[in-house]
Amino acid sequence: MIWLYIKFAIKFRVSSEEEHIMGKKILIVGGVAAGATAAAKIRRLSESAEITLIERGPYVSYANCGLPYFISGDIKNRSKLLLQTPEGFLKRYNVNVLIETEALGINRKDKKLKIRNKNGESLIDYDTLVLSQGGNPIFPSMPGSNSEHVFKLWTVPDMDRIHTFIEDHKPKTAVVVGGGFIGLEMAEAFHARNMKTTIVEMAPHVMSTMDPEFGKLIEQKLIENDLGVITGVGVKGVLENSKEVELSDGRKIPADLVLFSVGVKPELSLAKECGLEIGDTGGLLVNKFLQTSDPFIYAAGDILEITNKISDKKVRIPLAGPANRQGRIVADNVIHNNTTPYNGALGTSVVKILDSTAAITGITEKLARELGFEVGIVYIHKEHHASYYPGAQMIHMKLIFDKKNSKILGAQAFGRNGVDKRIDVIAVAIQGNLKVEDLTELDLAYAPPYSSANDPINMIAFVAQNSLTGFSPTITPKEAIEKIKLGDSTLIDVRTPEEFKKGHVKSSINIPVDELRSRLKELDPEKEYFVTCRVGYRGHLANRILLENNFKKVKNVTGGYLSLQLEGGFIEEF
Ligand SMILES: Cc1cc2nc3c(=O)[nH]c(=O)nc-3n(C[C@H](O)[C@H](O)[C@H](O)COP(=O)(O)OP(=O)(O)OC[C@H]3O[C@@H](n4cnc5c(N)ncnc54)[C@H](O)[C@@H]3O)c2cc1C
């Protein structure tokens, strides 16, 4: 009886949905990540919908994230970047794709979209419209920026122009303006094409979506590999005749080729013109079902303003992962009448830096402090797999958490191997609302070529947990240096005399951890001490010895001397 009822209920649901979408005209503007995904998913959900995809460029559903790797030569075959064709879309998904067709205006009252292509201008009716127009790279207007050796990279034609220029002119020098992930990928591509390449970044460090110490690690890697990095300076203009870029401080940098990669802003001309609401961050405003202020218009991708899952604030996260997921969710909501909410994103991202990788999930320390969290920070610098197995490489990790409730707020990592895996695991942990103590218990795959019995994730969680419980209190390198400078506290460096001699924090004293028990009388239990070693482990042991001997005010500098070096400023190196 129950079975019959369920069968009836399912049948009824399907038929009412079929009715709702029968012959429904769905127009999608923008045919790459979000738009193409939405089109394909809508078709999988409904055979009866009439789907048209409008794309102003010559290609649909191409791999824009792969463009830098064709320029570098890593991807040899250009056609691999072109994932679908209009014909392929029609055959497989029965989606009508109009390329080289620009949407010019939306008449919301009559539900018509004005388009222009080689056949001229015309109007197309819609029942539901999806805006997935992405964004446009910001291209600053300044002297020389229209020269033929100055480029941006956003589309396949942009990529082709750069590639052809390199083939025809064999440039020897390049300047990349902007040190975000596309700028870094392109700097590496130009370097691979034998150009002496300089990155100019106006912010104090490259990769400003990460905290400064990670910017510094990335800069070190680039400089070690003969790329130039100039930070904290803007660009004044491009000098066409001398083939140089002039900086705001007057310096001139040789540049046979210049690439601007200074950010992206949402493509909102259609939305604004037809009066859709725009959010405070400058992205298109949508509700939790990705529906704009007009219930017949949905939107997905870089065009949007979305919610950051940690801060609960509105943000723009122009990345391919969120764009693809939003495309799927829009499809669900268009077909099933708003059944699938979009809950926002963490902004998890990863970038290849020569032989290394930098990755982040969640929010930075800077943002966490600005938002008023009671911020806890710990670092580890640990081999990515068992140190005794050949090929172990240092992975630098930072965990950011809320000291009030041990909630994980974010993580960043840099290293040669295993960085993406650690950041992805922490992204999953955040998604699952796991806390610091849960990370200590994660049962992660281990064999010496892959990890350690205590994976770096377990290790960083141990450090955080020890700090939170007071078993082994920690202090950040920044706070430690500030206090030492004021003369309030003394730093005990527990490394060997040989290590200490090579470089140490000014005014620190050297008591190797193995001698600490026998030299306690040299210290005053009433005073505040910070302890440090190379990476934090011997500091932890020293912390415990001191605490067990009634020293009440001791803290381990998290990340040890390596983190102090990244903080910089009060260090003597010999
Ligand atoms: C070089 C490069 C590398 C990247 N690498 C990564 C990466 O490694 N990881 C990552 O997560 N993200 C990366 N991204 C970002 C990622 O590609 C974007 O977040 C994603 O493509 C956004 O998808 P979207 O559908 O919103 O917009 P887009 O993919 O930009 O598509 C929007 C489309 O809409 C079309 N359009 C706009 N207006 C109109 C109109 N009026 N009429 C018709 N068509 C219109 C545009 O021509 C465009 O093709 C990279 C981007 C670039 C450019």
Side-chain angles (χ1 to χ4, degrees), residues 378-398:
V378 290
Y379 296 96
I380 58 158
H381 309 279
K382 182 178 166 34
E383 284 79 11
H384 82 288
H385 64 46
S387 54
Y388 57 82
Y389 185 83
Q393 301 287 343
M394 181 79 88
I395 177 165
H396 307 272
M397 274 186 83
K398 175 178 188 175

Side-chain angles (χ1 to χ4, degrees), residues 30 32-34 55-56 64-65 103 132-134 154 181-182 301-302 318-320:
V32 188
E55 169 53 53
R56 79 175 157 202
N64 39 12
C65 306
S132 47
Q133 295 165 258
W154 202 250
F181 73 89
I182 297 177
D302 286 0
L319 289 172

Side-chain angles (χ1 to χ4, degrees), residues 28-36 54-60 62-69 98 101-105 115 131-136 153-155 181-182 185-186 267 269-270 300-304 317-324 326 348-351:
I28 301 172
V29 183
V32 188
I54 313 268
E55 169 53 53
R56 79 175 157 202
Y59 303 101
V60 65
Y62 61 86
N64 39 12
C65 306
L67 305 180
Y69 302 103
L98 305 178
T101 300
E102 181 161 17
L104 298 176
I115 59 161
L131 296 180
S132 47
Q133 295 165 258
N136 289 315
L153 178 71
W154 202 250
T155 60
F181 73 89
I182 297 177
E185 287 170 356
M186 287 306 291
E267 169 55 76
S269 44
L270 286 185
D302 286 0
I303 194 171
L304 290 187
I317 300 184
L319 289 172
N324 276 276
Q326 291 153 15
T348 308
S349 56
V350 62
V351 58

Side-chain angles (χ1 to χ4, degrees), residues 402-457:
D402 187 346
K403 285 202 243 177
K404 260 201 328 229
N405 52 19
S406 77
K407 187 178 161 183
I408 303 159
L409 302 176
Q412 295 167 50
F414 180 83
R416 282 182 61 177
N417 292 310
V419 166
D420 51 340
K421 146 166 146 170
R422 270 66 192 213
I423 289 298
D424 279 346
V425 168
I426 295 183
V428 173
I430 297 177
Q431 174 80 17
N433 287 320
L434 300 192
K435 302 209 167 173
V436 166
E437 51 273 25
D438 298 311
L439 291 186
T440 67
E441 288 180 29
L442 284 188
D443 186 5
L444 301 169
Y446 162 61
Y450 302 101
S451 178
S452 306
N454 283 321
D455 188 87
I457 289 178

Side-chain angles (χ1 to χ4, degrees), residues 25 27 29 54 103-115 122-129 131 270 273-274 294 296-297:
K25 290 194 179 71
L27 266 190
V29 183
I54 313 268
L104 298 176
I106 305 165
N107 175 342
R108 285 168 52 193
K109 194 168 135 281
D110 300 331
K111 293 206 201 156
K112 287 184 195 300
L113 182 76
K114 186 175 178 187
I115 59 161
S122 54
L123 293 171
I124 316 186
D125 295 331
Y126 66 83
D127 294 307
T128 304
L129 182 65
L131 296 180
L270 286 185
E273 193 242 4
C274 73
D294 179 332
F296 300 102
I297 306 180

